[in-house]
Amino acid sequence: MKAHQRSKELYERAVKVIPGGVNSPVRAFRAVGGDPVFIQRGEGAYLYDVDGNRYLDCIGSWGPLLLGHAHPDILSAISAQLPHGTTFGAPTELEVQFAEELCEAVPSLQKVRLVSSGTEATMSAIRVARGYTGRDVIVKFEGCYHGHADFLLAKAGSGVATLGLPECAGVPASITANTLTLPYNDVQALHTAFKEHGSAIAGVIVEPVVGNMGCVPPTPGFLEALREVTQRHGALLLFDEVMTGFRLAYGGAQERFGIMPDLTMLGKIAGGGLPLGAFGGRADIMDMVAPVGPVYQAGTLSGNPVAVAAGLATVQTLKARRHVLYERLDAMGSKLSDALRYAAEEAGVPVVVNQIGSMITVFFTDLPAVSNYAQAKTSNTQRFARWFRTLLEEGVYWPPSQFESAFLSDAMSEEDIFRLIEAARVGFHKAREVA
Ligand SMILES: *Cc1c(COP(=O)(O)O)cnc(C)c1O
C-alpha cells in the first residue's frame, strides 16, 4: 500500500469548501479515525485511489453496484442515450419500458413513479400513505434509515447511527411528533402501538431486511406480523427496498420472504449507478398521486432518460442472469460469513456475523445475536475501527462504520473472497489488541 499523499492533499482542499470534505457524512471515515480515500476509478470488483492503490470494493457505492463498477452493458446503454439528449421534461418510451420492467420484477408493484433518489421515494410514498388513509401517524423502527426527510430522521440508522447523533438539529419536534419509533423485530411492541394508536396510523415503513444498522434480517414471523396488523387496522405497509430491491432477489425482499407490501420504494441498484429512485404499489393507492389524485408529487429530472437507460440496462442484465446470480451471491455470502466467524474465533475475538445473500456485517459484540438496534449498539466500535483500518491497509474497502452493511457484488471472484478472508484474519488479530 502506497502512502495516501494525494488523498491527503485533496482532503485538505475539500474541507475548505465542502462541509467535512464530503458530500455524504459516512464517506468521511470519522468513526474509524482516518481520512477518506479519494477514488479515481472503478473497474469490476475493484476501486483505484488517486495514489495508485487498488481495493476490493465491499461498499459498491453503498448499494447500487450489484454488478460491479463500469459494467459494459450499463456503460453502453448510457452511451447510446447521450447523443439523443440528457433531459426533456416530457414522457419517453424508455421510462414506460422501465416502469413495465419494474412492475414485472417486483411482485407487489402495479403502478410506479420515478424520482431521483431513495430519499425522495420514501418521503413521497409516505405522503401517499397519509393521503390515502387520511391519517397522520407513521410507524418506523429504531436503526432503520429511510433517507434524510425530516419526519424519518427519528432514531435513524446509517450515518446518524455512525456519528452517534441523538437527534438531528433542524428537525422541529412538531414534525417528528407524528413518527412513532419502535424496536425492530419486536412483535409485542408492534401490537401495543397499534392497540393504543391504531386508528391514527397511516402506515408502517420498514427495511424488510435492515442494512442501515448493519445487516439485521427479520426474525421469523416479524414481517408476517407487520402485514397482519396493518391490514387489520386499515394502515398501509411500506417496504423500503431502496437497499434490498434487486439485491436479495430479483423481486427484492418481498419475493424472498413472500410478503406483499402495499407500497414499495426502490433506488440504488434500480438506478444502475445513476441518480434514480422509484415508489409504487397497488394501483388504487398509486392513483392518489397527481395528476390523477390529490397527492402532489413532482420532479424536474424525474424519469431522466440517462438514469432510466442505466436502470433499464441493469434490470435487464439481472433478469437475464437471475437464475444463476442470486444463488451465486447467496453461496458466496454464506461461505464468507462462515469463514469470518471461524477466523474471529481463532483470533479469540467475539463477533456476531449477520449475513443474508450479498449483505453482511461483522458486529464486534459479546452478545449471542444481533436482531435490533440496541443489540447492535453494544458493539465495540474501537475494535471495529482497528479491524476496518487493517482491511483498508490490506487492500479491502469495507464500510467505515460498524452500523453499515457490506455488499458483495457479482463482479467478485472466488479468489477475491479468499483474499478478503485473509485480510479479515489479519484484521481480527489486530482487533484483539484493542480492549
Ligand atoms: C440509501 C437508502 C435510502 C436513501 O436513498 P438515497 O438515494 O441515499 O436518498 C433510503 N432507504 C434505504 C433503506 C436506504 O438504504
Side-chain angles (χ1 to χ4, degrees), residues 117-120 122 145-148 207 212 240 242-243 268:
S117 70
T119 295
E120 263 189 276
T122 58
Y145 178 70
H146 304 292
H148 64 92
E207 291 183 67
N212 287 296
D240 180 351
V242 170
M243 188 179 284
K268 297 190 172 134

Side-chain angles (χ1 to χ4, degrees), residues 194-240:
F194 267 89
K195 201 173 272 172
E196 287 171 12
H197 308 282
S199 61
I201 296 173
V204 175
I205 185 168
V206 66
E207 291 183 67
V209 169
V210 192
N212 287 296
M213 54 172 122
C215 173
V216 176
T219 48
F222 181 61
L223 297 179
E224 287 80 357
L226 289 177
R227 182 62 285 181
E228 188 277 322
V229 81
T230 45
Q231 204 143 22
R232 184 152 47 84
H233 290 268
L236 300 185
L237 178 59
L238 289 76
F239 271 11
D240 180 351

Side-chain angles (χ1 to χ4, degrees), residues 267-328:
K268 297 190 172 134
I269 295 173
L274 268 74
L276 185 144
F279 66 100
R282 267 167 45 198
D284 63 315
I285 302 172
M286 287 304 288
D287 280 340
M288 290 298 290
V289 179
V292 186
V295 176
Y296 192 72
Q297 189 282 327
T300 302
L301 293 178
S302 293
N304 174 268
V306 184
V308 170
L312 185 59
T314 302
V315 169
Q316 287 173 333
T317 303
L318 293 175
K319 189 178 178 180
R321 264 184 69 65
R322 70 186 189 278
H323 298 298
V324 286
L325 179 136
Y326 293 101
E327 251 176 60
R328 175 171 188 267

Side-chain angles (χ1 to χ4, degrees), residues 115-131 138 146-153 205 238 240 242 263-266 278-279 295-298:
V115 292
S116 298
S117 70
T119 295
E120 263 189 276
T122 58
M123 64 177 235
S124 305
I126 281 178
R127 188 178 302 145
V128 172
R130 285 170 162 165
I138 293 294
H146 304 292
H148 64 92
D150 284 353
F151 50 90
L152 289 171
L153 278 178
I205 185 168
L238 289 76
D240 180 351
V242 170
L263 289 172
T264 299
M265 290 123 273
L266 298 168
F279 66 100
V295 176
Y296 192 72
Q297 189 282 327

